[in-house]
Amino acid sequence: MAEFVSGQSKHDMLTVGNHDDLARQEFAMSLKGFTQNRLLPGLGPVFEGRVAPAFEKEHGQAPSDRHQIRSGMVDDPYFQTYALTNRVAQEMIWSSVQAPLERDLDAVNDRAAQLSSANAARLESAGDFAVPRYVSAIDIHCMPGGYSTQESEADVAAGALYDRGVYLYSMGMMGPDNDGMGRSVCLFVQNQLDGFQPSAILDMGCTVGHSTLPFKELFPDADVTGIDVGGPCIRYAHARAAAKGLDVGFMQRDASQTGFEDESFDLIVSHILLHETSGKAMPEVFKECYRLLKPGGYMIHADLPPFLKMGAFNQFILDNETYYNNEPFWGAMRDLDQEQMAVDAGFAKETVRFDTAPMVMPEDLAPPPEEEQEFVAGEFAPGGGWEVLIARKD
Ligand SMILES: C[S@@+](CC[C@H](N)C(=O)[O-])C[C@H]1O[C@@H](n2cnc3c(N)ncnc32)[C@H](O)[C@@H]1O
């Protein structure tokens, strides 16, 4: 029988800690929920009711873009309370997971090595790997040490921290296995690319493989590989896949320069990778996808929507991540013309488009009865979806 901790599926690599650690984790997740569900909805009325009128009085015009909205909102005490509480909750989430991991790290690393030996697919993590500075120089979304810090060649701490921390951070919205996004893209592939049967699949920026494993479940005969620049994440991913009984390969490689041969893959996907790269790296990632795809193969990048698809106030809300959650490329990436970038990388214009991969909701991700435990796509969630950029190599 599947077992859960605060709604997250237990597996042999998941590290939660003792009763006190769990209590802290659940408090931090609740605080995040309170901020998002109770404080965030108050920002609109505060803006309409007092910030916009004050801005107009001072400047003789209503705030017209997200930057002007921000310039008015930052001095408002309600906004300051929201932003502060959100940041505190975020830091508490990571520290509540980090504490038990630090106490138990040798055992966690040993368990990873042991489990990895049961995964028949490749594991590659190189000690001298050059991690791009945009990853190594900052603790993205306040995760202590980021994705690549390691104390030894066996260290999996960053992966373990991410696995538990991101479940709390997303308040369980990605489902018990944190794989809602991967499942959504799988569902999109099933529904939109009728009869497409890839034999080699690459997931770029896979972190611990949350979104990678659904592809192995959907295409069990395919060779599925996840790559990431974070060594500890790659090692954790390989062990986690083994804990879940799946032979999926994980390699420490840079998505902009993978080293794989031309035309190695039928399907290349990424999930919330692009906004964590850089203005220089992102076009290189697209070019690399084009080089790596076989003719007839697809590139699908899932991320949040570009700014031009939403109003200025929602842009401002989303852009808070840039300012208060150590996500330096979050806003800038949303202003780029990604479709043109795909064309510049070699994809024919008529094969490139944005689409929506309907979101698979947590209630659809609950484990099915044991006798039905095969790939379960879940139901389309009305209105909800992940923005995907899709392109085909002719
Ligand atoms: C938000 S996480 C992705 C989450 C993951 N795809 C999932 O669905 O669970 C972003 C990941 O991209 C990785 N990354 C950033 N730049 C990269 C690059 N050039 N090549 C490979 N991975 C990269 C980071 O190390 C990090 O693990």
Side-chain angles (χ1 to χ4, degrees), residues 22 30 45 61 84 86 105 120 135 158 161 168 173-174 186 229 270-271 282 285 303 336 339 344 346 371 387:
L22 179 58
S30 301
Q61 53 139 90
L84 172 72
N86 203 39
L105 191 55
V135 171
L161 182 59
L168 303 168
M173 288 303 290
M174 301 282 204
C186 280
V229 292
S270 80
H271 312 82
M282 202 172 136
V285 172
D303 215 299
L336 298 176
E339 287 164 308
D344 293 344
E371 64 278 12
E387 201 71 16

PDB file of all heavy atoms in Angstrom, residues 22 30 45 61 84 86 105 120 135 158 161 168 173-174 186 229 270-271 282 285 303 336 339 344 346 371 387:
ATOM      1  N   LEU A  22       8.793  17.314  11.103  1.00  0.00           N
ATOM      2  CA  LEU A  22       7.550  17.251  10.326  1.00  0.00           C
ATOM      3  C   LEU A  22       6.597  18.382  10.731  1.00  0.00           C
ATOM      4  O   LEU A  22       5.980  19.028   9.876  1.00  0.00           O
ATOM      5  CB  LEU A  22       6.889  15.881  10.521  1.00  0.00           C
ATOM      6  CG  LEU A  22       5.567  15.657   9.791  1.00  0.00           C
ATOM      7  CD1 LEU A  22       5.727  15.846   8.293  1.00  0.00           C
ATOM      8  CD2 LEU A  22       5.033  14.250  10.079  1.00  0.00           C
ATOM      9  N   SER A  30       1.820  25.495   5.717  1.00  0.00           N
ATOM     10  CA  SER A  30       0.559  26.195   6.017  1.00  0.00           C
ATOM     11  C   SER A  30       0.729  27.709   5.906  1.00  0.00           C
ATOM     12  O   SER A  30      -0.167  28.406   5.432  1.00  0.00           O
ATOM     13  CB  SER A  30       0.071  25.882   7.428  1.00  0.00           C
ATOM     14  OG  SER A  30      -0.126  24.526   7.563  1.00  0.00           O
ATOM     15  N   PRO A  45      -7.533  44.518  -4.427  1.00  0.00           N
ATOM     16  CA  PRO A  45      -8.281  45.634  -3.828  1.00  0.00           C
ATOM     17  C   PRO A  45      -7.376  46.738  -3.270  1.00  0.00           C
ATOM     18  O   PRO A  45      -7.718  47.925  -3.373  1.00  0.00           O
ATOM     19  CB  PRO A  45      -9.066  44.951  -2.693  1.00  0.00           C
ATOM     20  CG  PRO A  45      -9.196  43.517  -3.132  1.00  0.00           C
ATOM     21  CD  PRO A  45      -7.983  43.201  -3.958  1.00  0.00           C
ATOM     22  N   GLN A  61      -1.369  60.176 -14.324  1.00  0.00           N
ATOM     23  CA  GLN A  61      -1.828  59.041 -15.163  1.00  0.00           C
ATOM     24  C   GLN A  61      -1.842  57.761 -14.331  1.00  0.00           C
ATOM     25  O   GLN A  61      -1.087  57.632 -13.354  1.00  0.00           O
ATOM     26  CB  GLN A  61      -0.892  58.833 -16.365  1.00  0.00           C
ATOM     27  CG  GLN A  61       0.579  58.695 -15.967  1.00  0.00           C
ATOM     28  CD  GLN A  61       1.343  57.625 -16.734  1.00  0.00           C
ATOM     29  OE1 GLN A  61       1.894  57.955 -17.752  1.00  0.00           O
ATOM     30  NE2 GLN A  61       1.393  56.382 -16.261  1.00  0.00           N
ATOM     31  N   LEU A  84       6.799  39.956   2.748  1.00  0.00           N
ATOM     32  CA  LEU A  84       7.624  39.486   3.864  1.00  0.00           C
ATOM     33  C   LEU A  84       7.181  38.089   4.308  1.00  0.00           C
ATOM     34  O   LEU A  84       8.006  37.181   4.488  1.00  0.00           O
ATOM     35  CB  LEU A  84       7.530  40.469   5.032  1.00  0.00           C
ATOM     36  CG  LEU A  84       8.202  40.002   6.331  1.00  0.00           C
ATOM     37  CD1 LEU A  84       9.717  40.029   6.193  1.00  0.00           C
ATOM     38  CD2 LEU A  84       7.785  40.864   7.506  1.00  0.00           C
ATOM     39  N   ASN A  86       5.574  35.836   2.701  1.00  0.00           N
ATOM     40  CA  ASN A  86       5.864  34.842   1.668  1.00  0.00           C
ATOM     41  C   ASN A  86       7.336  34.431   1.713  1.00  0.00           C
ATOM     42  O   ASN A  86       7.681  33.251   1.625  1.00  0.00           O
ATOM     43  CB  ASN A  86       5.510  35.434   0.294  1.00  0.00           C
ATOM     44  CG  ASN A  86       5.240  34.350  -0.719  1.00  0.00           C
ATOM     45  OD1 ASN A  86       4.639  33.331  -0.405  1.00  0.00           O
ATOM     46  ND2 ASN A  86       5.688  34.560  -1.943  1.00  0.00           N
ATOM     47  N   LEU A 105      22.971  12.919   6.927  1.00  0.00           N
ATOM     48  CA  LEU A 105      23.443  12.947   5.542  1.00  0.00           C
ATOM     49  C   LEU A 105      24.216  11.703   5.111  1.00  0.00           C
ATOM     50  O   LEU A 105      24.006  11.183   4.007  1.00  0.00           O
ATOM     51  CB  LEU A 105      24.277  14.212   5.284  1.00  0.00           C
ATOM     52  CG  LEU A 105      24.576  14.459   3.806  1.00  0.00           C
ATOM     53  CD1 LEU A 105      23.299  14.493   2.969  1.00  0.00           C
ATOM     54  CD2 LEU A 105      25.329  15.766   3.619  1.00  0.00           C
ATOM     55  N   ALA A 120      19.145  -0.106 -13.700  1.00  0.00           N
ATOM     56  CA  ALA A 120      19.971  -0.612 -14.799  1.00  0.00           C
ATOM     57  C   ALA A 120      20.357   0.485 -15.799  1.00  0.00           C
ATOM     58  O   ALA A 120      21.263   0.304 -16.607  1.00  0.00           O
ATOM     59  CB  ALA A 120      19.216  -1.727 -15.530  1.00  0.00           C
ATOM     60  N   VAL A 135      23.578  29.138 -12.435  1.00  0.00           N
ATOM     61  CA  VAL A 135      23.064  28.142 -11.475  1.00  0.00           C
ATOM     62  C   VAL A 135      23.885  28.159 -10.188  1.00  0.00           C
ATOM     63  O   VAL A 135      23.332  28.150  -9.087  1.00  0.00           O
ATOM     64  CB  VAL A 135      23.066  26.718 -12.084  1.00  0.00           C
ATOM     65  CG1 VAL A 135      22.758  25.664 -11.024  1.00  0.00           C
ATOM     66  CG2 VAL A 135      22.063  26.618 -13.229  1.00  0.00           C
ATOM     67  N   ALA A 158      21.390  18.060  -2.125  1.00  0.00           N
ATOM     68  CA  ALA A 158      20.576  19.047  -2.852  1.00  0.00           C
ATOM     69  C   ALA A 158      19.331  18.378  -3.452  1.00  0.00           C
ATOM     70  O   ALA A 158      18.249  18.969  -3.466  1.00  0.00           O
ATOM     71  CB  ALA A 158      21.406  19.708  -3.953  1.00  0.00           C
ATOM     72  N   LEU A 161      16.879  17.665  -0.578  1.00  0.00           N
ATOM     73  CA  LEU A 161      16.294  18.930  -0.122  1.00  0.00           C
ATOM     74  C   LEU A 161      15.199  19.373  -1.098  1.00  0.00           C
ATOM     75  O   LEU A 161      14.112  19.809  -0.701  1.00  0.00           O
ATOM     76  CB  LEU A 161      17.416  19.979  -0.044  1.00  0.00           C
ATOM     77  CG  LEU A 161      17.069  21.373   0.446  1.00  0.00           C
ATOM     78  CD1 LEU A 161      16.492  21.332   1.851  1.00  0.00           C
ATOM     79  CD2 LEU A 161      18.316  22.274   0.433  1.00  0.00           C
ATOM     80  N   LEU A 168       6.496  20.888  -0.375  1.00  0.00           N
ATOM     81  CA  LEU A 168       5.926  21.840   0.585  1.00  0.00           C
ATOM     82  C   LEU A 168       5.726  23.203  -0.086  1.00  0.00           C
ATOM     83  O   LEU A 168       4.691  23.866   0.086  1.00  0.00           O
ATOM     84  CB  LEU A 168       6.862  21.982   1.790  1.00  0.00           C
ATOM     85  CG  LEU A 168       7.205  20.678   2.540  1.00  0.00           C
ATOM     86  CD1 LEU A 168       8.366  20.912   3.505  1.00  0.00           C
ATOM     87  CD2 LEU A 168       5.986  20.151   3.304  1.00  0.00           C
ATOM     88  N   MET A 173       0.514  20.893  -4.844  1.00  0.00           N
ATOM     89  CA  MET A 173      -0.252  21.093  -6.088  1.00  0.00           C
ATOM     90  C   MET A 173       0.261  20.248  -7.256  1.00  0.00           C
ATOM     91  O   MET A 173      -0.423  20.107  -8.270  1.00  0.00           O
ATOM     92  CB  MET A 173      -0.249  22.570  -6.490  1.00  0.00           C
ATOM     93  CG  MET A 173      -1.106  23.452  -5.613  1.00  0.00           C
ATOM     94  SD  MET A 173      -2.828  22.913  -5.545  1.00  0.00           S
ATOM     95  CE  MET A 173      -3.374  23.324  -7.209  1.00  0.00           C
ATOM     96  N   MET A 174       1.463  19.718  -7.131  1.00  0.00           N
ATOM     97  CA  MET A 174       2.001  18.876  -8.215  1.00  0.00           C
ATOM     98  C   MET A 174       1.665  17.404  -7.982  1.00  0.00           C
ATOM     99  O   MET A 174       2.158  16.542  -8.704  1.00  0.00           O
ATOM    100  CB  MET A 174       3.518  19.020  -8.298  1.00  0.00           C
ATOM    101  CG  MET A 174       3.981  20.424  -8.559  1.00  0.00           C
ATOM    102  SD  MET A 174       3.769  20.847 -10.286  1.00  0.00           S
ATOM    103  CE  MET A 174       4.995  22.135 -10.397  1.00  0.00           C
ATOM    104  N   CYS A 186       2.798  14.604 -20.606  1.00  0.00           N
ATOM    105  CA  CYS A 186       2.528  13.263 -21.159  1.00  0.00           C
ATOM    106  C   CYS A 186       1.125  13.207 -21.770  1.00  0.00           C
ATOM    107  O   CYS A 186       0.921  12.691 -22.865  1.00  0.00           O
ATOM    108  CB  CYS A 186       2.616  12.204 -20.058  1.00  0.00           C
ATOM    109  SG  CYS A 186       4.295  11.729 -19.662  1.00  0.00           S
ATOM    110  N   VAL A 229      22.474  20.046 -14.657  1.00  0.00           N
ATOM    111  CA  VAL A 229      23.831  20.472 -14.315  1.00  0.00           C
ATOM    112  C   VAL A 229      24.147  20.218 -12.833  1.00  0.00           C
ATOM    113  O   VAL A 229      25.299  20.332 -12.424  1.00  0.00           O
ATOM    114  CB  VAL A 229      24.061  21.966 -14.651  1.00  0.00           C
ATOM    115  CG1 VAL A 229      24.046  22.174 -16.155  1.00  0.00           C
ATOM    116  CG2 VAL A 229      23.042  22.858 -13.967  1.00  0.00           C
ATOM    117  N   SER A 270      11.202  19.736 -21.519  1.00  0.00           N
ATOM    118  CA  SER A 270      11.715  20.345 -20.283  1.00  0.00           C
ATOM    119  C   SER A 270      10.521  20.870 -19.506  1.00  0.00           C
ATOM    120  O   SER A 270       9.465  21.178 -20.084  1.00  0.00           O
ATOM    121  CB  SER A 270      12.714  21.471 -20.570  1.00  0.00           C
ATOM    122  OG  SER A 270      12.052  22.667 -20.905  1.00  0.00           O
ATOM    123  N   HIS A 271      10.673  20.941 -18.208  1.00  0.00           N
ATOM    124  CA  HIS A 271       9.606  21.410 -17.321  1.00  0.00           C
ATOM    125  C   HIS A 271      10.216  22.430 -16.365  1.00  0.00           C
ATOM    126  O   HIS A 271      11.106  22.077 -15.586  1.00  0.00           O
ATOM    127  CB  HIS A 271       9.015  20.241 -16.520  1.00  0.00           C
ATOM    128  CG  HIS A 271       8.681  19.041 -17.374  1.00  0.00           C
ATOM    129  ND1 HIS A 271       9.644  18.128 -17.752  1.00  0.00           N
ATOM    130  CD2 HIS A 271       7.525  18.636 -17.925  1.00  0.00           C
ATOM    131  CE1 HIS A 271       9.064  17.192 -18.506  1.00  0.00           C
ATOM    132  NE2 HIS A 271       7.798  17.482 -18.632  1.00  0.00           N
ATOM    133  N   MET A 282      19.526  30.369 -23.156  1.00  0.00           N
ATOM    134  CA  MET A 282      18.244  29.859 -23.666  1.00  0.00           C
ATOM    135  C   MET A 282      18.253  29.611 -25.189  1.00  0.00           C
ATOM    136  O   MET A 282      17.849  28.532 -25.642  1.00  0.00           O
ATOM    137  CB  MET A 282      17.132  30.805 -23.240  1.00  0.00           C
ATOM    138  CG  MET A 282      15.780  30.148 -23.233  1.00  0.00           C
ATOM    139  SD  MET A 282      14.584  31.276 -22.502  1.00  0.00           S
ATOM    140  CE  MET A 282      13.256  31.083 -23.647  1.00  0.00           C
ATOM    141  N   VAL A 285      20.074  26.453 -25.850  1.00  0.00           N
ATOM    142  CA  VAL A 285      19.294  25.250 -25.515  1.00  0.00           C
ATOM    143  C   VAL A 285      18.395  24.879 -26.708  1.00  0.00           C
ATOM    144  O   VAL A 285      18.305  23.719 -27.105  1.00  0.00           O
ATOM    145  CB  VAL A 285      18.458  25.462 -24.233  1.00  0.00           C
ATOM    146  CG1 VAL A 285      17.499  24.300 -23.995  1.00  0.00           C
ATOM    147  CG2 VAL A 285      19.365  25.659 -23.020  1.00  0.00           C
ATOM    148  N   ASP A 303       6.511  25.748 -19.275  1.00  0.00           N
ATOM    149  CA  ASP A 303       6.904  26.762 -18.275  1.00  0.00           C
ATOM    150  C   ASP A 303       5.688  27.647 -18.042  1.00  0.00           C
ATOM    151  O   ASP A 303       4.604  27.361 -18.576  1.00  0.00           O
ATOM    152  CB  ASP A 303       8.118  27.562 -18.786  1.00  0.00           C
ATOM    153  CG  ASP A 303       9.064  27.957 -17.651  1.00  0.00           C
ATOM    154  OD1 ASP A 303       8.614  28.686 -16.753  1.00  0.00           O
ATOM    155  OD2 ASP A 303      10.233  27.540 -17.660  1.00  0.00           O
ATOM    156  N   LEU A 336      10.670  37.503 -23.608  1.00  0.00           N
ATOM    157  CA  LEU A 336      11.358  37.088 -24.845  1.00  0.00           C
ATOM    158  C   LEU A 336      10.376  36.491 -25.848  1.00  0.00           C
ATOM    159  O   LEU A 336       9.354  35.917 -25.472  1.00  0.00           O
ATOM    160  CB  LEU A 336      12.443  36.046 -24.520  1.00  0.00           C
ATOM    161  CG  LEU A 336      13.574  36.524 -23.603  1.00  0.00           C
ATOM    162  CD1 LEU A 336      14.511  35.371 -23.276  1.00  0.00           C
ATOM    163  CD2 LEU A 336      14.343  37.667 -24.268  1.00  0.00           C
ATOM    164  N   GLU A 339       8.901  31.904 -29.640  1.00  0.00           N
ATOM    165  CA  GLU A 339       8.595  31.272 -30.939  1.00  0.00           C
ATOM    166  C   GLU A 339       9.659  31.656 -31.963  1.00  0.00           C
ATOM    167  O   GLU A 339      10.165  30.802 -32.704  1.00  0.00           O
ATOM    168  CB  GLU A 339       7.189  31.685 -31.402  1.00  0.00           C
ATOM    169  CG  GLU A 339       6.113  31.000 -30.578  1.00  0.00           C
ATOM    170  CD  GLU A 339       4.746  31.644 -30.725  1.00  0.00           C
ATOM    171  OE1 GLU A 339       4.637  32.868 -30.547  1.00  0.00           O
ATOM    172  OE2 GLU A 339       3.795  30.920 -31.009  1.00  0.00           O
ATOM    173  N   ASP A 344      14.731  30.684 -35.045  1.00  0.00           N
ATOM    174  CA  ASP A 344      16.159  31.000 -35.208  1.00  0.00           C
ATOM    175  C   ASP A 344      17.039  29.778 -34.960  1.00  0.00           C
ATOM    176  O   ASP A 344      18.145  29.671 -35.486  1.00  0.00           O
ATOM    177  CB  ASP A 344      16.581  32.121 -34.243  1.00  0.00           C
ATOM    178  CG  ASP A 344      15.922  33.455 -34.594  1.00  0.00           C
ATOM    179  OD1 ASP A 344      15.404  33.570 -35.731  1.00  0.00           O
ATOM    180  OD2 ASP A 344      15.901  34.352 -33.725  1.00  0.00           O
ATOM    181  N   GLY A 346      16.309  26.855 -35.955  1.00  0.00           N
ATOM    182  CA  GLY A 346      16.229  25.951 -37.106  1.00  0.00           C
ATOM    183  C   GLY A 346      14.848  25.364 -37.361  1.00  0.00           C
ATOM    184  O   GLY A 346      14.595  24.803 -38.414  1.00  0.00           O
ATOM    185  N   GLU A 371      -4.909  -2.928  -8.519  1.00  0.00           N
ATOM    186  CA  GLU A 371      -5.089  -3.718  -9.737  1.00  0.00           C
ATOM    187  C   GLU A 371      -5.058  -2.850 -10.998  1.00  0.00           C
ATOM    188  O   GLU A 371      -4.884  -3.339 -12.099  1.00  0.00           O
ATOM    189  CB  GLU A 371      -6.381  -4.554  -9.679  1.00  0.00           C
ATOM    190  CG  GLU A 371      -7.685  -3.768  -9.609  1.00  0.00           C
ATOM    191  CD  GLU A 371      -8.032  -3.312  -8.182  1.00  0.00           C
ATOM    192  OE1 GLU A 371      -7.165  -3.411  -7.298  1.00  0.00           O
ATOM    193  OE2 GLU A 371      -9.162  -2.841  -7.976  1.00  0.00           O
ATOM    194  N   GLU A 387       1.666  26.201 -19.858  1.00  0.00           N
ATOM    195  CA  GLU A 387       1.987  26.728 -21.176  1.00  0.00           C
ATOM    196  C   GLU A 387       3.114  25.879 -21.759  1.00  0.00           C
ATOM    197  O   GLU A 387       4.117  25.635 -21.076  1.00  0.00           O
ATOM    198  CB  GLU A 387       2.474  28.173 -20.983  1.00  0.00           C
ATOM    199  CG  GLU A 387       2.396  29.022 -22.189  1.00  0.00           C
ATOM    200  CD  GLU A 387       0.967  29.387 -22.561  1.00  0.00           C
ATOM    201  OE1 GLU A 387       0.061  29.239 -21.725  1.00  0.00           O
ATOM    202  OE2 GLU A 387       0.785  29.812 -23.701  1.00  0.00           O
TER     203      GLU A 387
END
